[in-house]
């Protein structure tokens, strides 16, 4: 069956011609019919530490803002107001590189710095129609969560996003990791002891917005992120996604497909999930499970080979 699926993917995938955030966006045009009517589009990566996935997320943000009217960015992991980045993108206040030094570690990359600078540049060119950070201050609706109450944190991530949309009516790009953005009701995150199984933010957003919540999953086959990441186990969805011969592509999981392909898309699967604590000698342990590719995502953006993000702490200037 996997050969049939791989051939179908190869025929229906739209090659991505560039990963440079500043490159023309025409290769992302197949997204138009999928995201045009969405209220929230999630861009979730299987790792936050790969340059190509971060750059591709930036390109998706650009096309959503420039062509389809999205005006808020919910950048998962910290509070842009606390760090001072919302003031920078609105008014140019402060030095973004210095501001990012006060953010959580996975914001401290050259790729995120490029996003911040692009937002500021966009706002200089469109002062009457700016893009801004969603005010997801993680207030949790007045509730307090313990650090290990991950199920509660997932709910609060969704509630913050919903609350911002209700307050502003702006279309939102939710940029994060697939553990949070996939439509998982529930989903399981490994490794952990025991593995963590609960509903995630994406499932609450799908419940609230229905088809107005679009889930884009960014996957890869192998590379450095920043540790060596080998080819995925054969039973992982990523392994089949990597058999097309394409360097990078967009795949619409809503497309019509023959029964064997639809069966594969709808079957329970695993896809790799790599956080800051990763053991390449135990690669198969790092995965998302508990659902199917078609449950989790509407679109896949797949990159065959990745390289590490540029960490600001290691960069000059």
């Amino acid at each position: 069956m996997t050969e049939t699926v791989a051939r179908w993917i190869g025929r229906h995938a739209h090659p991505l011609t560039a990963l440079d955030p500043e490159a023309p966006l025409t290769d992302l045009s197949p997204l138009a019919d999928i995201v045009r009517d969405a209220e929230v589009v999630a861009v979730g990566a299987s790792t936050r530490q790969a340059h190509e996935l971060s750059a591709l997320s930036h390109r998706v943000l650009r096309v959503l803002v420039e062509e389809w009217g999205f005006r808020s960015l919910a950048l998962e992991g910290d509070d842009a107001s606390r760090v001072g980045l919302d003031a920078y993108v609105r008014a140019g206040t402060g030095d973004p590189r210095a501001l990012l030094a006060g953010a959580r570690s996975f914001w401290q990359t050259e790729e995120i710095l490029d996003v911040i600078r692009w937002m500021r540049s966009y706002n200089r060119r469109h002062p009457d129609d700016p893009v801004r950070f969603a005010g997801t201050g993680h207030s949790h609706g007045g509730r307090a969560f313990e650090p290990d109450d991950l199920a509660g944190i997932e709910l609060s991530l969704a509630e913050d996003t919903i609350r911002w949309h209700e307050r502003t009516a702006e279309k939102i790009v939710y940029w994060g990791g697939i553990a949070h953005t996939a439509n998982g009701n529930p989903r399981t995150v490994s490794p952990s002891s025991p593995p963590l199984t609960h509903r995630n933010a994406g499932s609450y957003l799908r419940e609230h917005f229905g088809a107005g919540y679009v889930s884009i999953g960014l996957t890869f086959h192998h590379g450095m992120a920043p540790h060596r990441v080998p080819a995925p186990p054969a039973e992982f969805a990523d392994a089949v996604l990597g058999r097309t011969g394409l360097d990078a592509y967009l795949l619409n999981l809503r497309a019509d497909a023959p029964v064997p392909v639809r069966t594969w898309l709808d079957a329970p699967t695993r896809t790799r999930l790599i956080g800051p604590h990763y053991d390449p000698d135990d690669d198969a342990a790092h995965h998302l499970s508990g659902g199917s590719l078609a449950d989790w995502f509407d679109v896949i953006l797949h990159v065959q080979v990745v390289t590490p993000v540029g960490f600001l702490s290691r960069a000059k200037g």
Side-chain angles (χ1 to χ4, degrees):
M1 179 185 289
T2 55
E3 282 297 332
T4 300
V5 174
R7 285 196 299 270
W8 179 85
I9 294 172
R11 289 195 301 268
H12 288 81
H14 300 272
L16 297 175
T17 57
L19 295 177
D20 182 348
E22 298 182 2
L25 301 168
T26 52
D27 57 339
L28 293 174
S29 61
L31 284 176
D33 291 338
I34 303 169
V35 305
R36 184 179 288 114
D37 297 325
E39 297 299 328
V40 178
V41 171
V43 184
S46 55
T47 178
R48 301 283 290 273
Q49 300 185 87
H51 165 75
E52 290 76 10
L53 300 191
S54 294
L56 189 50
S57 298
H58 186 170
R59 296 189 74 224
V60 174
L61 171 65
R62 270 192 60 208
V63 78
L64 290 171
V65 169
E66 294 177 5
E67 298 189 18
W68 298 310
F70 287 71
R71 290 296 179 269
S72 289
L73 170 63
L75 184 59
E76 188 180 87
D78 212 325
D79 182 354
S81 177
R82 178 193 70 79
V83 179
L85 292 172
D86 60 337
Y88 173 77
V89 301
R90 284 188 289 105
T93 304
D95 173 1
R97 184 181 289 270
L99 294 171
L100 282 171
R104 292 182 66 182
S105 60
F106 48 80
W107 280 23
Q108 296 181 30
T109 69
E110 294 286 351
E111 290 78 5
I112 295 298
L113 179 60
D114 286 345
V115 172
I116 305 305
R117 286 174 169 163
W118 172 81
M119 292 174 72
R120 178 61 194 142
S121 173
Y122 182 90
N123 289 345
R124 282 197 301 267
R125 291 179 280 118
H126 304 87
D128 298 323
D129 187 24
V131 62
R132 57 179 171 170
F133 285 102
T136 54
H138 312 301
S139 62
H140 315 306
R143 301 188 303 279
F145 292 108
E146 295 299 322
D148 60 352
D149 182 11
L150 298 182
I153 291 171
E154 293 288 342
L155 175 59
S156 76
L157 290 171
E159 289 180 339
D160 282 343
T161 305
I162 292 167
R163 192 175 301 116
W164 180 259
H165 182 266
E166 290 175 342
R167 201 177 102 199
T168 67
E170 291 183 351
K171 301 172 82 169
I172 301 168
V173 182
Y174 187 115
W175 178 329
I178 60 170
H180 309 293
T181 63
N183 173 34
N185 184 19
R187 56 92 177 101
T188 299
V189 173
S190 300
S192 57
S193 184
L196 299 172
T197 300
H198 46 67
R199 289 190 67 175
N200 69 346
S203 74
Y204 292 112
L205 292 171
R206 175 60 57 80
E207 180 178 69
H208 181 84
F209 291 104
Y213 178 70
V214 171
S215 171
I216 300 176
L218 278 70
T219 62
F220 73 100
H221 191 265
H222 67 278
M224 301 288 289
H227 306 292
R228 175 186 62 86
V229 183
E235 68 271 19
F236 279 31
D238 320 63
V240 180
L241 294 171
R243 293 174 65 175
T244 65
L246 297 171
D247 292 333
Y249 62 84
L250 181 157
L251 181 66
N252 179 4
L253 299 187
R254 298 178 181 176
D256 291 337
V259 171
V261 175
R262 183 50 56 188
T263 298
W264 182 81
L265 290 172
D266 291 337
T269 192
R270 296 182 179 186
T271 189
R272 63 171 16 137
L273 178 66
I274 297 178
H277 305 293
Y278 169 71
D279 179 3
D281 294 325
D282 194 20
D283 176 68
H286 301 263
H287 63 265
L288 186 73
S289 63
S292 71
L293 214 60
D295 287 335
W296 292 334
F297 311 117
D298 300 292
V299 178
I300 288 288
L301 301 179
H302 182 80
V303 177
Q304 192 68 1
V305 184
V306 297
T307 57
V309 293
F311 295 101
L312 293 179
S313 59
R314 302 173 193 173
K316 297 181 179 179

